[in-house]
């Protein structure tokens, strides 16, 4: 399956069921791996208001979908808006923020994460952003390795609540070199 071409496109509201199905499958995989701290245990499709938020993001052009053979195998939500949970002053003004990037955990999702992170860089450059930023659960060495490999450096840590437990998260920033004029 990974040798079938990957296609990236802006998601539309008609993609919301496929996006939620992907998100729910990733969450189910994380829970099965013993990692409920990352996003909790309640499927995204069942979280109050979350499906509407995904529909709103698609209507605003915030979500990019990765498809292989017409099936949703990944998603990227990126916008020039830093969420309020991020400590003030750790993300450079004007940065593009990756709100989430997810890929199918099977072979169909191979390569989709890297392609989506590369796409986020193109989006950031098109917006004239000085950097890309994201946050993630600090308890995942795998996420740390992936983001390190893509040039995202840890700049801050904060705690959040997830299903009644305190969870540590990392904020990472990847500064973008400005093209020479």
């Amino acid at each position: 399956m990974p040798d079938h071409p990957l296609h990236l496109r802006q998601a539309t509201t008609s993609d919301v069921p496929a996006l939620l199905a992907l998100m729910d499958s990733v969450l189910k995989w994380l829970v099965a791996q013993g990692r409920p701290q990352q996003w909790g245990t309640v499927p995204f499709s069942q979280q109050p208001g979350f499906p509407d938020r995904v529909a709103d993001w698609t209507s605003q052009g915030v979500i990019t979908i990765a498809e292989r053979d017409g099936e949703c195998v990944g998603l990227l939500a990126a916008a020039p808006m830093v969420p309020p949970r991020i400590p003030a002053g750790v993300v450079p003004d004007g940065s593009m923020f990756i709100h989430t990037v997810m890929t199918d955990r099977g072979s169909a999702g191979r390569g989709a994460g890297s392609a989506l992170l590369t796409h986020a860089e193109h989006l950031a450059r098109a917006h004239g952003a000085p950097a890309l930023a994201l946050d993630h659960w600090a308890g995942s060495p795998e996420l740390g390795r992936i983001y390190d490999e893509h040039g995202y450096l840890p700049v801050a840590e904060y705690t959040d609540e997830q299903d009644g437990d305190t969870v540590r998260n990392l904020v990472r920033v990847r500064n973008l070199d400005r093209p020479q004029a």
Side-chain angles (χ1 to χ4, degrees):
M1 180 82 73
D3 45 334
H4 292 212
L6 191 64
H7 174 69
L8 302 182
R9 65 172 175 82
Q10 188 171 321
T12 67
T13 54
S14 65
D15 294 313
V16 170
L19 294 167
L20 289 169
L22 172 68
M23 296 172 93
D24 285 351
S25 74
V26 171
L27 180 67
K28 184 178 178 181
W29 180 86
L30 286 168
V31 171
Q33 299 298 308
R35 294 167 48 184
Q37 304 90 334
Q38 190 162 342
W39 284 322
T41 57
V42 177
F44 290 101
S45 62
Q46 295 175 21
Q47 293 178 19
F50 195 84
D52 292 335
R53 186 176 346 159
V54 173
D56 188 43
W57 280 0
T58 59
S59 67
Q60 294 177 38
V62 171
I63 297 181
T64 300
I65 189 170
E67 294 177 317
R68 188 168 270 135
D69 292 332
E71 298 294 319
C72 175
V73 298
L75 70 92
L76 165 75
M81 177 186 82
V82 177
R85 69 180 178 269
I86 303 302
V90 299
V91 174
D93 288 341
S95 293
M96 178 74 66
F97 196 87
I98 296 174
H99 295 270
T100 192
V101 60
M102 285 188 205
T103 62
D104 182 281
R105 303 316 304 155
S107 63
R110 282 213 184 102
S114 289
L116 289 165
L117 289 174
T118 298
H119 183 68
E121 179 182 344
H122 295 302
L123 291 173
R125 290 186 187 283
H127 279 87
L132 275 160
L134 56 81
D135 64 332
H136 68 89
W137 176 50
S140 172
E142 175 189 19
L143 287 175
R145 180 187 53 75
I146 289 167
Y147 294 132
D148 282 343
E149 288 174 359
H150 284 88
Y152 291 84
L153 303 176
V155 295
E157 187 175 303
Y158 70 95
T159 58
D160 206 358
E161 289 285 315
Q162 187 67 263
D163 289 343
D165 293 324
T166 301
V167 177
R168 285 184 329 111
N169 297 290
L170 287 177
V171 179
R172 292 176 174 262
V173 172
R174 178 174 177 226
N175 290 311
L176 301 175
D177 297 327
R178 299 243 180 213
Q180 299 295 326

